[in-house]
């Protein structure tokens, strides 16, 4: 086992805050080092990379099923509910419970996902047409879960605190979350920055941090997802995040230069302490 792979397994994976991390889409991966999936440690990746993972048939990794096109996330807790499997050109979008995927690492140290389904099976899978309201329909959710023989960990209404958005409005695609503006919670006119990426514990299916670009002359600040509140205003597309911090506070927050690598194990603890929250499933140092 290489030193690099060892560090990935113990949760010290670093990610690049910049976008553009992609895998080769046309070539099947090498056989995985761990055919039963990653069971040791935790794998931490940016959402820009997670939402571009190739998906292969578990019983034959030469057969590609498609690519993860997006993630369906319950924004209040940062829990990944589904990965949207896109089956290719003129293909279909299929919501797959996150627990149904097995994360694999090939001998080239590149990650990919597998499913215990064949290409023929996928042809009859329930599809997703960008309408997020289907995920609060119990019959629809039950049908998706039954098809993949997995639970999607959908939130219950009782799990949503009073005064926050209803469940249906907190189910958001990762591509939308990783493009939101961030404002001061008490002053909606005080913009703190914009989300450029999400940091995801792929093993547990949790968003750990949102990376906030604080603007011209600023830096990238890893903010524990638990510190954000999702806000929806009037109009279908009016969605943003708030923080109980000011612009001056953000200047003092743990941060890195925009092109600098971020080590979650190194920066996570100080970020949690600064924002006064505990990040779910954060890797241990």
């Amino acid at each position: 086992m290489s030193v690099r792979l060892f560090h990935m397994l113990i949760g010290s994976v670093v990610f690049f805050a910049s976008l553009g991390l992609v895998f080769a889409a046309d070539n099947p991966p090498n056989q995985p080092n761990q055919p039963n999936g990653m069971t040791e440690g935790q794998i931490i990746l940016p959402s820009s990379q997670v939402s571009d993972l190739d998906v292969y048939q578990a019983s034959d990794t030469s057969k590609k099923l498609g690519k993860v096109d997006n993630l369906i996330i319950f924004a209040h807790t940062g829990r990944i509910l589904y990965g949207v499997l896109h089956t290719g050109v003129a293909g279909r979008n299929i919501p797959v419970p996150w627990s149904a995927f097995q994360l694999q690492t090939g001998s080239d140290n590149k990650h990919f996902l597998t499913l215990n389904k064949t290409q023929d099976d996928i042809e009859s899978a329930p599809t997703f047409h960008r309408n997020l309201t289907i995920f609060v329909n119990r019959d629809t959710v039950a049908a998706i879960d039954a098809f993949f023989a997995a639970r999607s960990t959908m939130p219950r209404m009782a799990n949503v605190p009073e005064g926050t958005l209803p469940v249906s409005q907190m189910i958001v695609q990762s591509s939308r979350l990783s493009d939101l503006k961030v404002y001061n919670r008490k002053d909606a006119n005080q913009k703190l920055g914009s989300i450029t990426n999400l940091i995801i514990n792929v093993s547990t299916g949790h968003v750990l941090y949102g990376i906030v670009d604080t603007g011209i002359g600023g830096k990238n600040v890893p903010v524990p997802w638990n510190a954000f509140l999702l806000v929806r205003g009037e109009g279908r597309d009016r969605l943003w995040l708030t923080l109980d911090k000011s612009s001056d506070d953000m200047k003092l927050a743990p941060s890195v230069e925009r092109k600098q690598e971020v080590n979650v194990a190194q920066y996570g603890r100080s970020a949690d302490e600064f924002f006064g929250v505990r990040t779910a499933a954060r890797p241990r140092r």
Side-chain angles (χ1 to χ4, degrees):
M1 179 182 294
S2 68
V3 172
R4 181 183 176 189
L5 181 56
F6 175 76
H7 283 294
M8 292 168 71
L9 293 177
I10 65 172
S12 296
V13 175
V14 295
F15 72 91
F16 290 93
S18 58
L19 302 180
L21 299 174
V22 295
F23 289 161
D26 298 324
N27 300 319
N30 296 320
Q31 288 296 321
N33 293 332
Q34 294 175 282
N36 294 322
M38 304 299 288
T39 56
E40 298 178 52
Q42 301 174 76
I43 301 300
I44 313 297
L45 297 172
S47 58
S48 57
Q49 188 169 341
V50 177
S51 59
D52 197 41
L53 290 176
D54 291 327
V55 182
Y56 293 86
Q57 185 175 311
S59 59
D60 184 353
T61 55
S62 68
K63 295 182 178 179
K64 183 176 176 179
L65 302 178
K67 181 183 289 290
V68 174
D69 177 65
N70 223 320
L71 305 173
I72 307 299
I73 296 173
F74 182 49
H76 183 68
T77 61
R79 183 80 181 188
I80 301 176
L81 306 177
Y82 299 92
V84 180
L85 172 65
H86 184 64
T87 58
V89 178
R92 301 155 68 234
N93 291 315
I94 299 170
V96 180
W98 192 250
S99 59
F101 288 114
Q102 300 92 43
L103 180 67
Q104 309 282 6
T105 302
S107 57
D108 55 2
N109 290 340
K110 288 187 176 180
H111 299 299
F112 61 98
L113 297 170
T114 60
L115 271 177
N116 288 320
K117 293 292 180 182
T118 66
Q119 292 171 322
D120 289 339
D121 291 335
I122 291 298
E123 289 298 319
S124 58
T127 56
F128 167 56
H129 299 288
R130 305 298 180 186
N131 181 3
L132 295 174
T133 60
I134 70 168
F135 298 115
V136 293
N137 182 298
R138 291 184 179 181
D139 292 338
T140 300
V141 169
I144 296 171
D145 289 0
F147 182 87
F148 288 100
R151 296 187 62 183
S152 57
T153 62
M154 281 294 299
R156 297 172 181 264
M157 291 298 293
N159 293 339
V160 179
E162 187 175 350
T164 60
L165 295 175
V167 166
S168 60
Q169 293 189 36
M170 284 197 284
I171 297 175
V172 187
Q173 296 185 73
S174 58
S175 59
R176 184 80 174 100
L177 286 178
S178 59
D179 193 38
L180 292 182
K181 293 180 175 60
V182 182
Y183 294 90
N184 177 277
R185 192 159 298 157
K186 297 177 182 178
D187 182 2
N189 293 316
Q190 186 179 157
K191 183 181 175 182
L192 304 179
S194 300
I195 298 287
T196 60
N197 225 326
L198 308 175
I199 307 310
I200 293 176
N201 186 327
V202 183
S203 305
T204 65
H206 280 96
V207 177
L208 303 181
Y209 300 92
I211 302 302
V212 178
D213 184 338
T214 56
I216 297 175
K219 297 182 179 181
N220 283 330
V221 177
V223 179
W225 192 256
N226 295 344
F228 290 111
L229 281 182
L230 184 70
V231 176
R232 187 182 294 271
E234 296 181 3
R236 184 174 182 179
D237 296 324
R238 297 204 59 191
L239 195 68
W240 63 92
L241 293 166
T242 67
L243 278 175
D244 192 18
K245 294 291 181 183
S246 67
S247 297
D248 289 338
D249 291 333
M250 294 297 281
K251 294 177 182 179
L252 302 174
S255 63
V256 297
E257 300 294 336
R258 288 194 177 98
K259 294 184 178 181
Q260 182 181 343
E261 296 178 3
V262 177
N263 186 306
V264 174
Q266 178 182 354
Y267 288 92
R269 189 175 301 278
S270 58
D272 289 3
E273 291 174 354
F274 181 85
F275 289 97
V277 297
R278 179 178 174 82
T279 297
R282 179 169 55 79
R284 297 177 181 177
R285 293 186 68 176

